[in-house]
């Protein structure tokens, strides 16, 4: 799911960026991995039973076979992902992507405190983009901390600035209505964060991508994240609120 607040250069297609998002669904390291904390090894023991290098390699191959087809078999320019356990497994995926697509992909990963050890990461084409040194993570507190909102600044080949904010919002476990306030809370915090970006005078396009665990018409998206299906209003500089264009709404 994607939401854009873009400057006129990208809207007018002077520069095209092929941006994708995918929840990779439990891209975990192998069972009893030395790269996993003792706490997570204990808590994920049943879930990872039999998850060996053969199965992991098969999952990587399956993911790569689909990623290869993105952008008319040219692969993504930028790929945001969630549910990756650590840098090791995302590097395995990137190595397979580089070999399959003959590309040079890099990565930025946010390793947070999720109780299942799943994180978000941004994969980008090294020949087209240069990430700035600074990345930012925002962790919203409810009863427990949420998964991080992860902000990455990208410099494009033509000198435009692209801010990618990766999201993996609280799930609907326990019921949609019971869990809805948690997603609204994250949406409201994210909206405030975006206001701060603009108040700092950053002339950049912003892409929100992620697994929001809500639909494009839910309140968290429309009323709190301020995502709408009106491109003209989003492009307008005459409005006070910072609306996002909801590219998923038409689906």
């Amino acid at each position: 799911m994607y939401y854009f607040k873009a400057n006129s250069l990208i809207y007018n297609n002077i520069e095209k960026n092929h941006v994708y998002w995918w929840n990779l669904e439990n891209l975990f390291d192998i069972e009893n991995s030395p790269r996993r904390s003792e706490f997570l090894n204990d808590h994920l023991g049943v879930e990872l039973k039999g998850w060996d290098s053969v199965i992991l390699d098969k999952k990587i191959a399956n993911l790569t076979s689909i990623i290869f087809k993105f952008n008319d078999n040219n692969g993504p320019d930028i790929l945001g992902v969630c549910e990756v356990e650590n840098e090791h497994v995302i590097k395995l995926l990137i190595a397979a992507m580089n070999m399959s697509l003959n590309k040079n992909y890099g990565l930025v990963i946010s390793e947070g405190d999720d109780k299942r050890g799943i994180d978000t990461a941004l994969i980008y084409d090294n020949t087209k983009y240069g990430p700035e040194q600074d990345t930012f993570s925002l962790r919203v507190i409810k009863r427990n901390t949420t998964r991080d909102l992860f902000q990455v600044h990208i410099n494009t080949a033509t000198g435009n600035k692209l801010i990618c904010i990766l999201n993996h919002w609280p799930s609907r476990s326990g019921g949609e209505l019971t869990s809805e306030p948690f997603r609204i809370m994250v949406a409201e915090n994210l909206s405030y964060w975006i206001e701060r970006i603009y108040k700092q005078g950053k002339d950049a396009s912003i892409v929100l991508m992620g697994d929001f665990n809500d639909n494009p018409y839910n309140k968290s998206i429309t009323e709190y994240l301020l995502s709408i299906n009106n491109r003209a209003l989003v492009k307008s500089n005459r409005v006070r609120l910072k609306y996002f264009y909801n590219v998923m709404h038409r689906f």
Side-chain angles (χ1 to χ4, degrees):
M1 194 176 291
Y2 308 91
Y3 305 97
F4 289 91
K5 174 64 178 177
N7 62 30
S8 59
L9 287 175
I10 291 178
Y11 265 124
N12 293 333
N13 292 325
I14 294 174
E15 177 178 24
K16 289 186 177 180
N17 304 272
H18 296 273
V19 182
Y20 295 80
W21 170 269
W22 199 355
N23 181 330
L24 301 183
E25 297 187 4
N26 297 342
L27 183 57
F28 280 113
D29 207 340
I30 59 173
E31 184 181 9
N32 298 318
S33 168
R35 292 168 290 271
R36 184 180 298 116
S37 71
E38 184 177 350
F39 172 83
L40 282 176
N41 264 323
D42 290 342
H43 284 73
L44 297 174
V46 174
E47 190 169 355
L48 295 179
K49 189 172 181 60
W51 187 257
D52 58 18
S53 58
V54 174
I55 297 176
L56 174 58
D57 289 346
K58 180 63 176 175
K59 183 172 177 71
I60 294 289
N62 288 342
L63 293 173
T64 305
S65 70
I66 302 302
I67 293 171
F68 177 86
K69 298 178 182 180
F70 292 176
N71 186 19
D72 296 326
N73 296 339
N74 291 305
D77 292 334
I78 295 172
L79 172 61
V81 296
C82 70
E83 292 204 9
V84 296
E85 183 179 359
N86 55 32
E87 188 171 339
H88 172 71
V89 292
I90 201 69
K91 282 184 173 179
L92 291 177
L93 177 62
I94 288 176
M97 289 169 56
N98 285 339
M99 182 175 295
S100 175
L101 291 158
N102 193 26
K103 293 283 187 76
N104 178 19
Y105 286 107
L107 75 101
V108 186
I109 187 170
S110 169
E111 298 205 46
D113 293 330
D114 181 79
K115 62 184 179 181
R116 292 179 63 245
I118 52 175
D119 300 313
T120 56
L122 190 76
I123 300 170
Y124 58 90
D125 188 337
N126 263 318
T127 63
K128 294 184 177 182
Y129 306 99
E132 296 182 2
Q133 291 297 314
D134 291 334
T135 59
F136 306 91
S137 293
L138 174 65
R139 194 166 300 157
V140 182
I141 305 296
K142 50 187 184 75
R143 292 186 183 91
N144 299 301
T145 56
T146 67
R147 289 178 284 252
D148 289 357
L149 300 170
F150 185 41
Q151 176 179 325
V152 183
H153 292 204
I154 295 288
N155 294 314
T156 70
T158 57
N160 285 312
K161 288 189 178 296
L162 184 63
I163 294 178
C164 299
I165 303 180
L166 283 65
N167 297 258
H168 191 183
W169 288 11
S171 75
R172 291 188 172 192
S173 60
E176 177 186 346
L177 296 180
T178 300
S179 60
E180 183 182 47
F182 300 140
R183 291 184 294 281
I184 287 175
M185 181 175 58
V186 174
E188 186 71 6
N189 276 270
L190 179 54
S191 292
Y192 172 73
W193 193 359
I194 291 161
E195 289 286 343
R196 295 292 299 166
I197 291 173
Y198 281 107
K199 284 181 179 178
Q200 292 171 15
K202 292 192 180 299
D203 181 20
S205 300
I206 299 177
V207 181
L208 307 182
M209 63 178 81
D211 185 345
F212 295 84
N213 278 306
D214 263 341
N215 289 305
Y217 47 79
N218 285 127
K219 285 195 300 184
S220 64
I221 302 298
T222 58
E223 297 181 24
Y224 293 88
L225 192 58
L226 299 179
S227 174
I228 60 176
N229 191 32
N230 184 331
R231 185 178 297 208
L233 185 59
V234 173
K235 290 174 66 176
S236 173
N237 290 320
R238 296 188 299 273
V239 294
R240 179 179 62 84
L241 297 174
K242 301 299 183 185
Y243 290 106
F244 278 81
Y245 178 59
N246 185 335
V247 302
M248 300 301 294
H249 191 277
R250 64 193 179 94
F251 295 106

